[in-house]
């Protein structure tokens, strides 16, 4: 019997936990869970004898991977791998996976929700404005970006997209106007919704030049990662543009300063909320549990094949 640990500092909905547990137990494994843990040490202690781990934004760094001596597979029930030390995983022969697309609609709904929230002055009773007819730029047209486009079109927004990895035809098919460069996107759109991953190319790439080029009453919406924002530049833009607003599902490091100086133009969820719906929890959690079973089956098949070829080799030895 192997131990599958569900380690979520931010707990999944009960139905998702039940579903994951059922899959794990039905496969003959032991199910363990750690939620709302206070320190990384607690996570490390729980991981020490785990064969498989399912996480969300929980940190699977080198220390965690090294302490989990029996670990064979780690699955991020969500998008990206930025919280898993892939080099350490490779070194220790740990398979790392994620569940792309499973929580995308939830994230997209939050992006639009935050836009409405700010357009209506955080529901403070003052007259706001509507999204209909406004320009929206989707920066990276992946799983989340597509849903944002679909919902925004329902609001009557004019939707543009920039993604060097997606064809113009694919965007046009969805009624999205493709643009050639990020510069063009920011220059064209009053709203920009970020869906880029955090990697060496994108970290701190959302900078002064891009944000200053946005049209009047610019709104940047970040449901991606805080690391993609150049925060010193962000602070400069806030100081120089009284019309600039920032909405984020990932609190920036400079949140105290933004809250103090620009409370009416800045909003961040206190804890990442994009994927925090029952549907997204069930989709990504169950996908993660199923992927562990599939990966385990693949390993078993590989073992059987290896054994068969070993047997053949031994036979031919005689
Ligand atoms: C993701 O990367 O899938 C989303 O940002 C959600 O992350 P979470 O599961 O930690 O809320």
């Amino acid at each position: 019997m192997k131990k599958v640990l569900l380690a979520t500092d931010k707990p999944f909905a009960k139905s998702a936990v039940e579903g994951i547990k059922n899959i794990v137990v039905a496969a003959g494994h032991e199910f363990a869970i750690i939620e709302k843990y206070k320190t990384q040490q607690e996570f490390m202690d729980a991981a020490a004898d785990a064969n498989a781990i399912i996480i969300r934004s929980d940190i699977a760094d080198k220390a965690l991977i090294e302490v989990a001596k029996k670990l064979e597979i780690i699955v991020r029930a969500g998008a990206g791998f930025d919280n898993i030390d892939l080099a350490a995983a490779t070194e220790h022969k740990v398979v790392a996976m994620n569940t792309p697309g499973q929580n995308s609609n939830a994230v997209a709904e939050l992006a639009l929700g935050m836009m409405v929230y700010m357009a209506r002055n955080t529901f403070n009773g003052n007259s706001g404005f509507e999204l209909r007819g406004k320009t929206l730029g989707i920066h990276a047209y992946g799983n989340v970006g597509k849903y944002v486009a679909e919902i925004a079109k329902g609001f009557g927004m004019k939707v543009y997209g920039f993604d060097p990895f997606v064809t113009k035809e694919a965007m046009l098919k969805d009624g999205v106007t493709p643009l050639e460069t990020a510069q063009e996107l920011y220059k064209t759109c009053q709203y920009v919704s970020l869906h880029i991953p955090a990697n060496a190319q994108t970290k701190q790439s959302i900078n002064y030049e891009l944000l200053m080029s946005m049209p009047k009453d610019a709104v940047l919406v970040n449901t991606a990662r805080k690391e993609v924002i150049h925060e010193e530049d962000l602070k400069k833009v806030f100081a120089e543009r009284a019309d600039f607003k920032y909405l984020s599902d990932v609190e920036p490091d400079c949140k105290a300063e933004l809250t103090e100086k620009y409370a009416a133009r800045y909003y961040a969820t206190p804890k990442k909320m994009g994927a925090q719906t029952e549907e997204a929890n069930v989709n990504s959690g169950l996908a993660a549990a199923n992927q562990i079973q599939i990966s385990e089956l693949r390993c078993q098949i590989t073992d059987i094949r290896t054994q068969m070829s070993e047997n053949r080799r031994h036979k031919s030895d005689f």
Side-chain angles (χ1 to χ4, degrees):
M1 186 187 268
K2 294 193 173 182
K3 174 173 159 178
V4 179
L5 172 69
L6 175 63
T8 51
D9 176 37
K10 188 172 52 190
F12 273 144
K14 278 197 176 68
S15 55
V17 176
E18 274 307 304
I20 295 167
K21 186 177 173 186
N22 289 343
I23 293 171
V24 170
V25 172
H29 300 313
E30 177 195 343
F31 174 75
I33 181 166
I34 173 173
E35 291 176 326
K36 286 190 192 169
Y37 50 89
K38 300 266 177 304
T39 63
Q40 183 71 4
Q41 189 59 48
E42 279 181 58
F43 179 16
M44 288 172 68
D45 292 346
D49 61 346
N51 302 92
I53 304 178
I54 298 172
I55 54 172
R56 299 182 67 179
S57 291
D58 308 79
I59 305 299
D61 55 11
K62 194 173 166 62
L64 182 283
I65 289 169
E66 285 183 348
V67 89
K69 297 256 178 292
K70 297 181 178 171
L71 192 60
E72 295 165 45
I73 180 165
I74 184 155
V75 188
R76 177 181 183 149
F81 287 108
D82 48 305
N83 54 329
I84 302 178
D85 187 329
L86 292 179
T90 306
E91 190 188 329
H92 294 276
K93 298 193 167 51
V94 173
V95 174
M97 295 199 277
N98 62 2
T99 63
Q102 300 293 338
N103 56 23
S104 303
N105 182 64
V107 178
E109 286 190 12
L110 184 79
L112 268 295
M114 289 200 296
M115 284 160 61
V116 172
Y117 181 63
M118 193 50 98
R120 297 303 182 95
N121 298 311
T122 65
F123 303 145
N124 70 1
N126 292 334
S127 183
F129 54 85
E130 297 172 23
L131 298 181
R132 177 170 294 278
K134 307 292 188 296
T135 49
L136 168 66
I138 312 240
H139 192 166
Y141 198 67
N143 292 316
V144 184
K146 268 175 182 282
Y147 279 116
V148 170
E150 188 184 312
I151 302 168
K153 281 196 294 148
F155 273 93
M157 298 186 86
K158 294 176 195 148
V159 185
Y160 296 81
F162 166 67
D163 191 324
F165 304 105
V166 175
T167 63
K168 285 181 185 169
E169 290 70 28
M171 288 195 207
L172 287 168
K173 197 163 69 62
D174 294 346
V176 172
T177 307
L179 295 175
E180 296 286 342
T181 61
Q183 282 75 8
E184 224 186 313
L185 189 83
Y186 284 73
K187 237 171 96 176
T188 307
C189 298
Q190 180 189 346
Y191 285 84
V192 171
S193 190
L194 283 172
H195 304 293
I196 51 178
N199 57 37
Q201 285 76 44
T202 62
K203 279 185 185 167
Q204 302 209 335
S205 65
I206 308 306
N207 57 21
Y208 181 81
E209 189 204 336
L210 287 176
L211 299 179
M212 289 304 284
S213 74
M214 290 176 75
K216 192 170 169 313
D217 296 325
V219 182
L220 179 68
V221 187
N222 185 4
T223 52
R225 298 287 185 264
K226 69 174 180 181
E227 290 83 0
V228 301
I229 306 284
H230 194 299
E231 289 199 13
E232 284 308 310
D233 284 7
L234 179 72
K235 286 193 283 180
K236 259 171 75 179
V237 173
F238 262 106
E240 291 177 28
R241 284 191 69 161
D243 65 331
F244 176 80
K245 296 190 176 93
Y246 182 50
L247 303 171
S248 183
D249 187 32
V250 273
E251 286 186 326
D253 292 334
C254 62
K255 67 175 176 184
E257 186 175 335
L258 297 188
T259 309
E260 190 197 321
K261 293 187 179 168
Y262 313 109
R265 297 194 278 127
Y266 159 75
Y267 174 75
T269 52
K271 202 150 202 181
K272 194 137 70 90
M273 291 296 297
Q276 201 58 327
T277 65
E278 180 161 357
E279 293 89 337
N281 292 172
V282 169
N283 291 345
S284 55
L286 269 56
N290 282 323
Q291 282 171 211
I292 290 174
Q293 307 318 327
I294 291 165
S295 161
E296 211 205 8
L297 277 177
R298 279 209 191 106
C299 290
Q300 284 171 5
I301 291 166
T302 310
D303 284 351
I304 291 166
R305 283 201 181 126
T306 314
Q307 194 54 54
M308 281 163 68
S309 71
E310 276 290 297
N311 290 347
R312 275 199 294 274
R313 199 170 61 77
H314 284 306
K315 269 187 196 154
S316 61
D317 282 349
F318 288 99

